[in-house]
Amino acid sequence: MRYLATTLLLFSSMLSSFAQSIQLTHNEGQKRVDVTVDGKPFTAYIYPGPTVLKKPVLYPIRSAGGNFITRGWPLDPRPGERIDHPHHVGMWFNYGDVNGHDFWNNSIQVGPDHKGPFGTIVHTGIKSMKNGKGQAELVVTADWLDKDGKVMLQETTTYAFKATASNRTIERIATLKAADKDVLFKDNKEGMIALRMAHQLEQPATKPEVFTDAQGVETKVPVMNNEGVTGLYHSAEGVEGDAVWGTRAPWVKLTGTINGEDLSVVMLDNPKNVGYPTYWHARGYGLFAANPLGAAVMSSGKAPAMNYTLPAGKSVTFRYKLLIQSGQLSDSALSQLVK
């Protein structure tokens, strides 16, 4: 038994020696926290303020192979990208109707058709940063402001970053506390945690599309050059492609290839979340989002409206995990990883 215990201890020590070193670096002047893995860029928490972005985001996000999985536009455009939906930046968390305020569609390029009123999420502080082997943690705070700049919600979010030689993981745990009034998250299509994917991870386009947001504003999405476009959605319930939109599942996997690197990008809901399993607001043009609060609109009226209300002074927590796996990832292997 002593020999076995010693062997296991040595094996554990060997594994830890191969763990990736994750470093967080806060640059106050640039209003960002860079996340690196063994000195190589992984992602960054950026909070440039409402004259640039109407919410803090993680941007950009890279795979273990160093490829961008998120779109560059509008902050850093790349050739061949779509230039629709300027509010789709990196990985973000907000909602389309919070006490009547639209947090989702707000951007510095919002058009005259969007009447608002708009809400803005403003970074208020960094509570802690922890570096480590294989894992690092960032805790930040933000205020959800109404059109007059009054606080509706106070947000505290923990980002847990993990890395191995073949994958990257981001866990986002957001606690929202209502200020001095009840907060109604009205049943709405536009939500809630989301990514805008790189062009290569879009699904190949076969025809132009027109998408209408919750305010009735139309956005035309044209057919693009499909060269190098390899994305395909696949849900835990076995639904694939565009059919994933509006369905419920504990996770959805987006597969594709970028610069020869096969990738599986998986977003996972958490059983503790309101509305579990979430509805998926996943579009072939690159929007990859989970919306737990829009039951009626996401189900085309088959489910009753959620209309979730957070009482004044009370809190609710939303937990999500993003897994970026290099190489093929089967459903059975995924099930083992997420246990």
Side-chain angles (χ1 to χ4, degrees), residues 2-321:
R2 183 180 299 173
Y3 173 77
L4 178 60
T6 302
T7 302
L8 289 173
L9 183 62
L10 287 171
F11 182 65
S12 176
S13 177
M14 288 173 60
L15 286 178
S16 65
S17 68
F18 288 111
Q20 313 283 293
S21 177
I22 306 180
Q23 179 82 28
L24 307 181
T25 305
H26 186 200
N27 187 322
E28 292 189 63
Q30 295 184 11
K31 297 183 178 180
R32 61 187 290 133
V33 178
D34 287 291
V35 184
T36 57
V37 177
D38 285 348
K40 298 178 181 179
F42 170 17
T43 188
Y45 170 79
I46 64 172
Y47 56 100
T51 59
V52 179
L53 287 177
K54 301 299 183 179
K55 71 272 186 181
V57 302
L58 291 184
Y59 172 91
I61 302 175
R62 292 174 171 86
S63 67
N67 288 301
F68 293 108
I69 69 154
T70 48
R71 180 177 69 168
W73 192 84
L75 299 182
D76 185 21
R78 303 181 203 126
E81 286 187 324
R82 299 182 186 274
I83 56 170
D84 55 76
H85 300 89
H87 48 283
H88 292 177
V89 180
M91 178 181 179
W92 71 95
F93 178 86
N94 58 16
Y95 197 67
D97 192 332
V98 184
N99 278 359
H101 288 70
D102 183 355
F103 284 84
W104 179 272
N105 288 293
N106 200 4
S107 79
I108 63 170
Q109 299 184 40
V110 67
D113 292 335
H114 283 94
K115 305 302 182 184
F118 293 104
T120 303
I121 303 174
V122 178
H123 167 91
T124 56
I126 294 176
K127 293 187 69 173
S128 64
M129 298 193 307
K130 296 178 183 177
N131 301 323
K133 284 281 190 178
Q135 181 169 336
E137 183 182 277
L138 172 67
V139 183
V140 295
T141 57
D143 286 340
W144 293 43
L145 307 178
D146 68 13
K147 61 182 176 59
D148 299 316
K150 186 175 180 180
V151 177
M152 285 199 288
L153 293 160
Q154 295 173 314
E155 176 182 344
T156 301
T157 288
T158 297
Y159 292 99
F161 303 101
K162 298 182 181 180
T164 71
S166 63
N167 67 42
R168 301 286 185 266
T169 303
I170 301 169
E171 188 169 6
R172 192 189 201 283
I173 305 171
T175 297
L176 302 178
K177 181 179 180 180
D180 56 349
K181 294 181 180 179
D182 293 356
V183 177
L184 169 63
F185 296 81
K186 190 175 180 180
D187 196 292
N188 189 282
K189 177 167 65 71
E190 318 291 3
M192 185 172 195
I193 187 166
L195 291 146
R196 184 59 192 260
M197 310 309 300
H199 185 51
Q200 297 94 325
L201 294 178
E202 296 170 10
Q203 295 186 158
T206 58
K207 62 184 187 303
E209 301 280 3
V210 177
F211 296 98
T212 305
D213 67 21
Q215 296 187 353
V217 178
E218 294 183 346
T219 298
K220 296 180 180 179
V221 178
V223 173
M224 298 286 285
N225 184 348
N226 286 325
E227 184 178 355
V229 176
T230 59
L232 179 67
Y233 290 113
H234 172 83
S235 86
E237 302 301 325
V239 183
E240 290 200 337
D242 291 333
V244 166
W245 193 93
T247 62
R248 302 179 76 180
W251 55 258
V252 165
K253 175 174 61 175
L254 174 62
T255 56
T257 303
I258 303 179
N259 296 327
E261 182 185 19
D262 292 332
L263 290 167
S264 293
V265 180
V266 187
M267 195 183 300
L268 301 107
D269 196 8
N270 188 295
K272 295 181 180 179
N273 284 343
V274 175
Y276 178 88
T278 187
Y279 287 89
W280 292 94
H281 187 18
R283 298 292 197 188
Y285 66 79
L287 174 64
F288 188 6
N291 182 355
L293 304 182
V297 66
M298 297 300 295
S299 68
S300 300
K302 296 182 180 67
M306 171 76 75
N307 291 336
Y308 178 78
T309 299
L310 182 62
K314 299 297 183 180
S315 299
V316 63
T317 299
F318 294 91
R319 306 162 181 85
Y320 297 97
K321 186 179 291 186

